[in-house]
Amino acid sequence: MQTLWDGGTTAQKFEEKFVARVAELTGGRFKINLFSAGQIAPPAQAFDAVRGGAFEMMKTFDGYEAGKIPSLAFTSTIPFGFPESDQYEAWFYERGGLELARQAYAAAGMFYVAPTVYGQEPLHSKVAIRKMSDLQGKKGRFVGLASSVMGAMGVAVTTMPTGEVYSALDKGVVDFADRGDLLSNFESGLAEVAKYVILPGFHQPTTATSYVANKGAYDKLPAEFKSALAVAAREVSGAFRQHLLVNDAVALGKYKAKGCEIIYMPADEIKAARPKALEAWKAATKGDALATKILDSQSTFMKDLGLL
């Protein structure tokens, strides 16, 4: 199994917990050899490597492959979508999302095992953003589905690698940017170049990475080993999410100590923007039948929750 995380990072340490838990659940009989990003194949080639059988499983962010499989835009994150991670995870486990994600990967000869669902990514800004109309005409860095949705909100969107975000903010190439979670962004120095932290992260309110296996390899596993993968994945999802919740609280204190202002976007502003976001979501399906089915399922659940 190769992950999308660098070695030694907190996220990779939770993949170590996943592997250890699978072994524990099977009395040590199911051993997964774990590799960090790029150790077997370049990250951008992991999808094809697993599909081709170069290795059997990966931890990935589905949105990377949304260009090939439009459905995967919606199994990774939904800008202006579910504001709580538990809501997104409930869609997977209680509203048929897990089976829909498996349908999306099946066409590529792969098996979607389970998601790891966790929270928001904040917006770091050089200007105060207190209402949605403040976004219009500003320059922002976003990737994936957020690029389309934020463009619909009037943002002049640019995409760039994560490593370039600090410099882009510092030089004023962008007014605000998405990058990662609160703590990792602080560690990268964003408090030095963007004095406003906008919460909640409406452009990426909750996130799902995923365990995906080569279907031929998965089908050969005994039922006990398949169950161990599912159980360990769901346990790690909750554990990682709770770890980040604790770190977010610590990180906010660090930003304040650096003189940053934490701005909380009013909930009614976010809710009022969802209908416009919905149009951008529909466009992102590209007319694909399964992507449309997934979006319809998520939209129905959001209506049930009073979000739409």
Side-chain angles (χ1 to χ4, degrees):
M1 170 178 151
Q2 179 175 290
T3 76
L4 70 168
W5 319 115
D6 292 331
T9 60
T10 297
Q12 184 70 0
K13 290 176 182 177
F14 274 84
E15 303 305 347
E16 294 170 5
K17 293 178 185 290
F18 168 75
V19 167
R21 184 62 172 141
V22 168
E24 181 182 34
L25 288 167
T26 58
R29 288 177 293 120
F30 188 7
K31 176 175 170 52
I32 299 173
N33 296 309
L34 184 66
F35 296 86
S36 58
Q39 281 193 301
I40 304 176
Q45 297 175 22
F47 180 94
D48 290 330
V50 172
R51 180 169 56 178
F55 53 98
E56 290 79 24
M57 188 162 67
M58 63 179 173
K59 186 61 174 295
T60 189
F61 179 75
D62 292 350
Y64 294 157
E65 303 300 331
K68 299 177 183 176
I69 305 174
S71 303
L72 300 184
F74 302 97
T75 56
S76 47
T77 187
I78 310 162
F80 291 88
F82 300 108
E84 302 292 339
S85 299
D86 279 346
Q87 295 169 340
Y88 199 17
E89 192 166 65
W91 175 76
F92 279 100
Y93 285 103
E94 299 293 332
R95 298 298 288 256
L98 198 61
E99 180 55 36
L100 291 169
R102 287 173 179 169
Q103 290 179 35
Y105 272 104
M110 302 165 82
F111 183 82
Y112 183 100
V113 177
T116 297
V117 184
Y118 51 97
Q120 66 186 342
E121 292 192 357
L123 199 61
H124 295 269
S125 181
K126 298 177 74 71
V127 297
I129 304 294
R130 303 186 189 278
K131 53 187 184 298
M132 285 298 163
S133 60
D134 292 338
L135 296 168
Q136 296 180 10
K138 304 294 194 305
K139 298 172 291 184
R141 180 267 183 183
F142 298 95
V143 295
L145 183 57
S147 297
S148 301
V149 175
M150 294 304 286
M153 298 297 163
V155 177
V157 173
T158 184
T159 59
M160 65 183 69
T162 300
E164 296 178 13
V165 170
Y166 178 98
S167 177
L169 284 167
D170 187 34
K171 296 177 180 178
V173 174
V174 293
D175 298 305
F176 44 73
D178 158 63
R179 183 190 178 277
D181 66 85
L182 278 163
L183 189 58
S184 67
N185 291 350
F186 182 85
E187 292 171 347
S188 75
L190 294 198
E192 302 165 6
V193 295
K195 290 302 180 182
Y196 298 95
V197 180
I198 318 300
L199 295 173
F202 45 81
H203 64 285
Q204 190 160 327
T206 185
T207 306
T209 54
S210 56
Y211 295 101
V212 178
N214 175 283
K215 190 173 187 305
Y218 180 84
D219 286 345
K220 293 177 183 176
L221 295 176
E224 181 186 0
F225 287 13
K226 293 176 181 177
S227 294
L229 289 174
V231 170
R234 194 157 188 185
E235 289 180 358
V236 165
S237 181
F240 185 53
R241 178 164 66 252
Q242 290 155 18
H243 180 82
L244 290 179
L245 279 172
V246 173
N247 275 338
D248 280 358
V250 173
L252 286 175
K254 293 178 180 290
Y255 283 105
K256 291 175 183 177
K258 283 283 189 179
C260 293
E261 180 183 352
I262 313 301
I263 298 176
Y264 292 92
M265 181 66 69
D268 58 350
E269 285 277 325
I270 296 173
K271 184 173 182 178
R274 282 199 184 102
K276 184 181 290 186
L278 178 57
E279 295 306 310
W281 300 341
K282 290 177 180 177
T285 67
K286 301 176 183 177
D288 178 82
L290 182 57
T292 300
K293 184 177 181 179
I294 290 174
L295 177 56
D296 287 347
S297 171
Q298 292 173 339
S299 299
T300 297
F301 189 29
M302 286 185 216
K303 289 175 183 176
D304 291 345
L305 294 170
L307 300 174
L308 284 175

